[in-house]
Structure formats: structure tokens, C-alpha cells
Amino acid sequence: MTEQKPILGTSPLRKEGRAKVLGAARYIDDQSLPGMWHGATVRSTIARGRIRSITFDPAIDCSQYAIVRASDIPGANTIVHIIQDHPCLADPLINHPYEPILLLAHPEKAALLTALAAIHIDYDELPGVFTIEDSESAVAANDTTRIIWDRPDNGGSANCFKQYTMHSGDADEVEAGLAAAFEHADFIVEGEYATGAQEQLYIEPNGVIAECFFKPTGEVESVTVRGSLQCPYYLVHALSVVFNLPQENCRVIQVETGGAFGGKEDFPSVIGSHAALLAMKSGHPVKMIYDRAEDMASTTKRHPSRTRHRTAVSKDGKLLAGTIEVALDGGAYATLSSTVLSRATIHAPGPYKWPYLRVNAKAMATNIPPHGAFRGFGAPQSLFALERHMDRIAHTIGISPEELRRKNFLGTGDKTATGQPLLDPVDMQHLLTRALAESNYHAKLAEFAKTNPTSPIKRGIGFAAFMHGTGFTGSGERRLNSLVHLDLTPDGRPQILVSSTEFGQGTNTILCQVAAQNLQLPYDDILIHEADTAFVPNSGPTVASRTAMIVGKLVERTSQQLLNTLRTHEHLPTPHTREDFYRAARCYLLKHGSLRESARYEPPAPIFWDDDKYRGDAYPGYAWAVYVAEVAVDTRTYMATCTRFDALQEVGKVMHPVLAKGQIEGGVAQGIGYALYEKCVWNNGKMMNNQMTNYIMPTSADLPEIHVHFEEVPSIHGPGGAKGIGELPMDGPAPAILNAIENALGIPFNTIPLLPEDIFERLTSTHANGEVLNPTVDLDTKTEVPA
């Protein structure tokens, strides 16, 4: 027996890496089926209205095309997400630009362009609502002509998809505490912060191929969709509703997927349903691939947000009380807005102790294409506001941002704002100390203060402290009831069966590492089945930093179960060699034919969440971080550039150092884009810069050196102690960068993206409405000193 070296914590080759490097990986547009047609979508050209008529140019022979109208849908005309308010095809109301109205398919892809141009749709237009403020004002004025969504189910109300109120304790006691604190505080600091929409801009646009199978009677018997997607069972659910079929008759196969970032969580339910309807109508397999412009214009993006803080503070920097008002722009339909809003709410208090806190949060409807999931899932919006606000408080009361945070950090044994006791060790003081040391923060502060007065390039350094919960919020994991199988193949090799998908983040690799470690086998011996719902169980969606921790723990359990079975029935020794394992496995298969172990998610006993009061254990665990950004602002071009970035995070156990570092670097790059480059330009609900040439995101040449640092405090909830990391790096860059820009210029900015024209306007606008403006005066932040 040779002692096996640990596999978790090492960096073996990615399971799918060889195929990608050699060009053998087949993405959806590389694939075709015999007799396949191509599909396209006829979309609305207006933001809101009613379809009056649809006419076809007689020059087009419509008989050559398969055409799907809403009336052709065999089941419900809805794309099911959390509620069923999202039409599969508009009929007759239009709620946003680019809303699907008709579907076309033809054997020749080129023929679709001609047909799309020959379809004319007349509308009765209605007034649109395009911002959070427009949506609120319509409700306040009871202007029924601008009430664009009114569904009381699932906590909704007029123009509001969902709202939450969260108190840091008993609601009555907190309200009394808030009143007293705001009456007696040394300072009250108010601020408003805003974030824009952000495009996921995955490498590969949305695409699927659908097949439809019929009974001898001509009725639809089953459908199969394969495509570029994140959550196969979401699409199974959507297809079963659209086709009125049992879920077992709706098969979904994930193929090689070129990035997702949340953008292929819910939207494949739309394009997958559309392609399947065209397959039904044409009698042929149908491929639908969006081009880049269509994908950017019509699919989901990160929710824009507005967050208002009002905070009572003592003169020595202790947070006494606070109110936080979070508002998200959800777009035209609810999609995943309630879930995104939930995370924005829970993360809004950050890693701080709040004696009294109330968070009100809402997601408003607008006539913009629906917003949806994107890495971070609501937390980047509310954490941006919080970490900018913490710097504003520090500057207002005259202490350093570091000192303010140190006075208020949560620690081991403290309770979060939801009342969750932090049982695992938490040491934000150490994380902050190390992050500032790694970035040479204090020396840089002194250096920039000395050089900035005489230089046209102002340099600054800033940081943000934050945490991110792992997995679904509260009782979400319990409701998902995730399932994992571990089989032996006929030759005795272990094979993982999960619906967790690989789309660039390393799922296949780390799950195989977990199995290999627990089965005491070489990493290369572990197989993982493709995410085909005909074979793999529903392991829950691949979202929310849950795969490594939640699904990985289930793989760990099934691996241990499999070993126990072989030890019990085939006398597999402890410890065992690779040869011992395969001898025992083959003996078991010879006797019993197969071996499958399964594990279903079970909440740890101490975890309890009250959905009604929005209190309790919001997550089984949190990852913690401090990010430090260094910037240069050229006062001649008004361009702000991030020149160095240090990302320090505590993630339990680093399972694969190379992948983990890549996750952090990629997320930080997206965060830098969120802060300084990426702006969705809207005009009456239409995205006007839906091309990679005019939607500006940072390239590698625009990014600084990103220094990644880890701390490891193993968690009992994850395999080998691991916690999720995927969303963490999206939370911290934006506030750290804008805090650094304030340090460089002495001027606060509270809205992202912060483009050169925004800095130019602030630095050069000296008068407005007769008022003399001083760019160093923060007009957005109100400070009050109670008598």
C-alpha cells in the first residue's frame, strides 16, 4: 500500500481541457442533425403596446416556412421562472422592445433574413416606463396608463415584482431603536448610490438544437433540446409547461458551453422553448443561434439599482443604526428578480454589526427587456452602495476608512443582521491587516498624498470589505432537495452523475477531485457523465456559488457510501490500493450487476430560516474578503484606470489553486468593467450599443496586475472544508475602485459605470441652475448633526 497524496488542493489538468485545447470540443453551432432546419424570431419594434395586425409580404412564399404563433402553443403561453408572467410569445400585449411575437424556420438559414424583413406588424402604442423612478412615480400618481405590471401573487404589487423588509431583530424593538438612535446620534450620514446594467458578454451567444417526437396519432410525445446552457432542469420545467408534457418527456442535454455568468441560467428556457415549438411545427430538428447583436439586445443583463443609506454614527465611529432602501430595475417580467432582490437584501448590511437596522428592498417593473441573473446576483449592487457609504461615513466623521471598519466588523460568535450566529471562525481584522500589507496600502497613501499635488495624474488607493453567502438563501437549498448519483461503470470506474454544468468555471474538475480524494483513487480514474437529464438527476441549478460546497459535499457523501459498500460486501481493506478497489468493484458488479450510490441534500441541523420574517440562517456559510484597488486618474483626459489590484479572500479550502485563482482574476476583471467601462445605453427600452464594437469592456491591455491571495478556514459544510468562491470577486472591485478614485481626486463619485465623461462633467461643471458648483463638494451625500 502506498499512501495516496491529497488531490484537493492540487491543480490537475481540467477534465475537458484537452478537447478545448485541441479544438475537438463541439459547441452547439458545431453540431447538426439530419434534416435540420434553422429558426429565427420576429420581435417587437416598440416598447409597449398592443398588436393590431400581422401581415406577410406576398412576395414571400410562406408555405416554405414553418411559422409559430402564440395560438400554436400546445400548453401554456408562458415561460415559467418563479412565477408565470412571462409570455412565450406576445399575444397581443407588448411589454418591451425585442419581445418575441412569431417564430420562423426554414431549411436554409439565409432565407430567414428575407422573411423577417417581409413581415409587418402594426401596433397601438402605449406609454412606456423606463426607469425605477418612472415606475415609482406611476404608482405614486395612481396613473393606470403607466401601471405596466400588476400581479399580487408572490408578494408583488402594482409595478413591483417583489418587496422585502428585513429587521436586525424584533421589528417593533428595531423600529424603537432606530428612532432613538437617530435622535441621539453624533452624526447622521445619508447617501444615494446607483449601479447600471451589465451585459454578461459570454464568449458564445445563446444557441440550441431542438427535436420533437410524435405519437402515431400525431400528438407531441416528447421533446429534446440540446444547447449552451447552465441549468438543464430549468429548461425541462419550461418545456413541460409550454408543451403540457410530463417532465420525463422533456429531455435537455447541455453541450460544451462557452461561458454563461448567469446569462444562461433562465434565458435558455426562452430560446429552448422557441426552438422546440419550431421543431413541432416543421417536423424537423431546428437550430436557433442568436448572433451577437440579437443576443445583447434581447437577453437578460444585471439589474440596475438605486440604494439609499441613512446611518446614525457615534463620533468615535460606531454604527448605531441604519436604514437601507434597495430598488432594482427588473425590466418587463419578473424572471429571477425576486431571487436577485433577496440576495441584494441579505448582503446589504455587509460584514458589520448593526445594533438596529431595517432594509427595505423592491424590484420594479419597466419596459426594458427583463433583467436576470449575473455573477453576484444582487450582492454587487448593494455591496457597492454599502462600501461607498462606509468611506463617506469615515470622511464625514473624520476617521480613516480602515478605523471605521475595524470598529464595526463582525467576528466569531457575533450575529449577522438576519440574526444568524457566526459559528465558524471569522477574522475580518486579520483579513484587513493582511490585505493592506499585501497591497502596501499605508505607504501608497503617503506616497500619493505627496505626489498628487504636482502631478496631472492623480493616484489613489481604496478598499472594500465584504462577504458572500454560499448556496441558495435560507430555505432555498431545502426546497431544491438536490440529488447526486455515483455509479460504477462496467469496468469498475466511478462515474459522477450530476446536473451541475461545466461552462468554464471548472465544475467537472473539482467534483472529480472530490470523488478521487474520497475514493482514494487517481484523479484520472474518475468519470463525470454529460449533463443529460435522461441520465443525470436534478442536482439543483449551477448558480449561487453552490456547486463546490453543496454539490461537492453530496459527491463526498456518495463517495464515502460507495467505499463503505465495497468494504462491507467485498472486504475492501482500509486503507486500499487502486488494485484493491478495482478488484472489489468488479467482484461487486459480477454479483449484483450494478452499483449506484445516491445522496440528497439535507440541511445541517442548526440551519433555520424564517421566510416570513426574513430572519435566521441565511446561508450555511460565508466567504469573506477584502479587496484593495489602486487607480490613476488623468486630469487631462479624465480617464480613470485601475493600476493594481489585490484580492484577498477566505474561502474555506482552495480545491484547485489554478482554477480558483482564475475564478478570482476573471471576476475581478468583470468587476473592473462594471466600475469603469461597461455602460448599457438605453433609448425607450432599446439597447443602443448592442455590439462588441460599441459596448466597451476591458481587454487584457486595460487590466492591471491582479494579485490573488487566499486564506483557508475549512467549513464543515463543504467537501474538504471548501466554500463557494465564484461570485465573491464580483462584489468588491467596484466600491474599492471608486473609493480609490475619491482618494485620488478628493471627489466622491457614487454611480457606476464611471466613465471619463462623468469625471469630466463633475470636474468642469461649475454652474447649474444658477448654483455655483464646487467639484469637491459631495452634493449626493447629506450629513446631519442632531442637536
Side-chain angles (χ1 to χ4, degrees):
M1 168 66 197
T2 56
E3 186 177 350
Q4 188 196 15
K5 295 180 181 178
I7 297 171
L8 287 178
T10 66
S11 298
L13 291 176
R14 299 177 67 125
K15 279 290 178 180
E16 77 290 355
R18 179 178 294 275
K20 287 181 176 175
V21 169
L22 296 178
R26 288 169 55 78
Y27 295 81
I28 192 63
D29 209 14
D30 298 322
Q31 302 187 23
S32 61
L33 295 176
M36 188 179 76
W37 286 25
H38 297 270
T41 310
V42 180
R43 301 181 180 279
S44 163
T45 56
I46 66 167
R48 184 169 175 241
R50 186 179 295 270
I51 299 169
R52 186 191 303 150
S53 66
I54 302 173
T55 56
F56 296 79
D57 192 319
I60 296 296
D61 181 0
C62 293
S63 66
Q64 295 184 4
Y65 294 83
I67 302 173
V68 172
R69 299 172 173 80
S71 57
D72 295 313
I73 297 172
N77 181 15
T78 187
I79 300 296
V80 61
H81 302 293
I82 294 172
I83 63 173
Q84 298 187 18
D85 69 329
H86 185 186
C88 183
L89 293 173
D91 179 35
L93 293 175
I94 299 294
N95 255 338
H96 65 83
Y98 312 110
E99 183 155 16
I101 297 173
L102 294 176
L103 305 169
L104 300 178
H106 192 276
E108 299 298 327
K109 190 173 182 179
L112 292 169
L113 292 176
T114 308
L116 288 172
I119 297 173
H120 307 289
I121 303 175
D122 290 326
Y123 309 93
D124 290 322
E125 288 199 53
L126 295 169
V129 168
F130 302 111
T131 65
I132 293 171
E133 289 72 23
D134 285 348
S135 192
E136 289 174 329
S137 71
V139 176
N142 194 26
D143 182 354
T144 57
T145 66
R146 295 190 298 137
I147 300 299
I148 60 173
W149 193 93
D150 196 1
R151 293 275 297 266
D153 52 328
N154 197 45
S157 59
N159 279 3
C160 181
F161 297 125
K162 186 76 174 182
Q163 45 195 327
Y164 299 107
T165 296
M166 184 177 86
H167 287 93
S168 58
D170 175 81
D172 291 338
E173 292 178 6
V174 170
E175 290 297 334
L178 284 168
F182 280 112
E183 184 176 352
H184 300 294
D186 294 316
F187 295 92
I188 298 172
V189 183
E190 296 183 43
E192 180 173 312
Y193 310 88
T195 64
Q198 187 182 21
E199 163 66 30
Q200 291 91 352
L201 217 65
Y202 24 69
I203 297 170
E204 177 202 24
N206 274 284
V208 298
I209 298 174
E211 297 171 274
C212 186
F213 304 95
F214 299 88
K215 300 175 183 176
T217 56
E219 297 169 300
V220 175
E221 182 175 50
S222 65
V223 291
T224 297
V225 177
R226 65 196 77 218
S228 178
L229 49 89
Q230 260 180 271
C231 305
Y233 276 94
Y234 279 12
L235 180 49
V236 166
H237 191 189
L239 292 168
S240 73
V241 172
V242 167
F243 284 87
N244 192 26
L245 288 172
Q247 293 198 14
E248 55 269 27
N249 290 26
C250 302
R251 180 182 178 187
V252 175
I253 305 165
Q254 187 231 11
V255 303
E256 201 71 66
T257 295
F261 307 118
K264 295 174 184 173
E265 177 179 349
D266 52 348
F267 197 82
S269 295
V270 178
I271 188 173
S273 296
H274 288 174
L277 288 167
L278 284 169
M280 174 196 73
K281 196 69 182 289
S282 68
H284 294 267
V286 171
K287 176 188 280 189
M288 292 188 81
I289 306 286
Y290 289 171
D291 66 21
R292 183 63 72 178
E294 182 179 26
D295 195 298
M296 291 181 70
S298 63
T299 69
T300 59
K301 298 176 179 24
R302 187 185 303 285
H303 290 68
S305 75
R306 181 199 67 206
T307 302
R308 292 170 174 154
H309 276 260
R310 186 167 191 259
T311 309
V313 196
S314 69
K315 60 186 176 185
D316 63 349
K318 296 286 287 185
L319 300 178
L320 304 176
T323 61
I324 305 173
E325 309 282 337
V326 180
L328 300 182
D329 176 349
Y333 298 111
T335 62
L336 301 178
S337 285
S338 61
T339 311
V340 175
L341 184 70
S342 169
R343 283 153 178 77
T345 305
I346 291 170
H347 288 85
Y352 304 110
K353 288 179 277 193
W354 294 89
Y356 302 102
L357 179 72
R358 181 201 329 120
V359 182
N360 287 324
K362 59 185 179 183
M364 302 300 291
T366 61
N367 294 117
I368 289 174
H371 295 299
F374 195 159
R375 191 179 205 161
F377 229 71
Q381 291 93 323
S382 56
L383 285 169
F384 168 74
L386 175 69
E387 287 301 285
R388 279 297 298 131
H389 192 62
M390 292 297 284
D391 265 35
R392 299 304 305 132
I393 293 172
H395 297 151
T396 299
I397 68 176
I399 66 175
S400 72
E402 176 186 355
E403 184 180 1
L404 178 73
R405 287 171 172 85
R406 289 193 185 280
K407 286 179 180 289
N408 295 285
F409 273 144
L410 289 166
T412 308
D414 288 331
K415 289 186 177 180
T416 68
T418 67
Q420 178 174 1
L422 295 171
L423 304 178
D424 292 339
V426 179
D427 193 348
M428 289 298 293
Q429 302 287 352
H430 169 66
L431 293 187
L432 180 56
T433 298
R434 184 180 166 194
L436 298 185
E438 297 279 5
S439 60
N440 207 14
Y441 174 84
H442 293 105
K444 295 284 179 64
L445 272 183
E447 176 190 339
F448 298 155
K450 186 177 178 181
T451 58
N452 276 344
T454 56
S455 172
I457 297 177
K458 312 297 184 187
R459 299 186 183 276
I461 189 166
F463 66 91
F466 54 99
M467 82 303 193
H468 200 108
T470 295
F472 263 53
T473 307
S475 53
E477 289 294 345
R478 189 180 296 120
R479 286 197 293 267
L480 286 174
N481 210 12
S482 302
L483 183 63
V484 164
H485 297 319
L486 183 65
D487 281 351
L488 288 182
T489 62
D491 60 355
R493 290 185 71 180
Q495 178 175 244
I496 300 167
L497 292 99
V498 295
S499 59
S500 304
T501 51
E502 167 69 53
F503 43 86
Q505 79 281 42
T507 293
N508 290 349
T509 302
I510 61 168
L511 294 183
C512 290
Q513 283 183 274
V514 171
Q517 174 99 8
N518 285 278
L519 293 170
Q520 300 163 39
L521 289 174
Y523 162 78
D524 288 338
D525 282 8
I526 310 299
L527 302 174
I528 187 164
H529 199 286
E530 69 174 345
D532 178 341
T533 61
F535 298 97
V536 301
N538 188 348
S539 313
T542 311
V543 301
S545 289
R546 66 182 295 277
T547 299
M549 184 169 176
I550 304 294
V551 180
K553 192 69 176 178
L554 295 177
V555 171
E556 182 181 86
R557 281 174 50 197
T558 54
S559 302
Q560 292 164 354
Q561 290 169 200
L562 192 145
L563 273 193
N564 289 337
T565 298
L566 295 181
R567 293 197 200 291
T568 301
H569 295 278
E570 301 301 335
H571 308 293
L572 177 68
T574 305
H576 61 265
T577 64
R578 183 172 183 265
E579 291 71 26
D580 292 335
F581 180 90
Y582 281 104
R583 176 196 54 76
R586 284 192 285 267
C587 286
Y588 189 97
L589 293 174
L590 191 62
K591 294 175 187 174
H592 303 281
S594 64
L595 175 55
R596 164 172 290 185
E597 298 290 350
S598 301
R600 191 179 288 282
Y601 176 78
E602 297 170 3
I607 300 292
F608 176 76
W609 176 254
D610 186 329
D611 274 316
D612 295 326
K613 294 182 179 178
Y614 233 62
R615 291 195 53 69
D617 302 312
Y619 296 97
Y622 295 87
W624 307 84
V626 177
Y627 283 6
V628 185
E630 196 175 313
V631 301
V633 185
D634 190 328
T635 56
R636 297 162 298 190
T637 64
Y638 305 98
M639 183 76 193
T641 308
C642 186
T643 54
R644 177 187 168 111
F645 204 95
D646 283 84
L648 169 66
Q649 48 271 306
E650 190 284 294
V651 295
K653 169 70 178 176
V654 178
M655 303 172 79
H656 188 296
V658 171
L659 286 178
K661 184 169 183 284
Q663 281 279 294
I664 300 300
E665 290 173 335
V668 167
Q670 281 183 318
I672 292 172
Y674 190 39
L676 294 178
Y677 295 92
E678 299 181 45
K679 182 172 186 176
C680 295
V681 179
W682 305 102
N683 183 11
N684 290 333
K686 290 184 179 178
M687 185 181 185
M688 305 307 291
N689 56 335
N690 58 323
Q691 300 174 53
M692 293 181 75
T693 52
N694 54 16
Y695 179 84
I696 306 302
M697 67 180 297
T699 68
S700 57
D702 302 307
L703 296 172
E705 286 187 30
I706 299 171
H707 302 267
V708 178
H709 317 283
F710 288 109
E711 292 271 342
E712 295 179 289
V713 180
S715 167
I716 61 169
H717 301 295
K723 297 186 281 194
I725 66 170
E727 297 184 292
L728 200 68
M730 193 67 227
D731 295 334
I737 289 168
L738 265 71
N739 287 342
I741 290 173
E742 181 172 10
N743 174 244
L745 296 176
I747 298 172
F749 294 90
N750 297 323
T751 297
I752 55 171
L754 182 64
L755 304 182
E757 50 263 44
D758 302 314
I759 298 174
F760 169 83
E761 184 176 359
R762 180 68 180 273
L763 293 183
T764 59
S765 295
T766 54
H767 292 81
N769 299 322
E771 182 181 5
V772 177
L773 299 179
N774 179 348
T776 63
V777 175
D778 178 9
L779 296 176
D780 299 323
T781 301
K782 297 177 182 175
T783 305
E784 182 182 339
V785 181

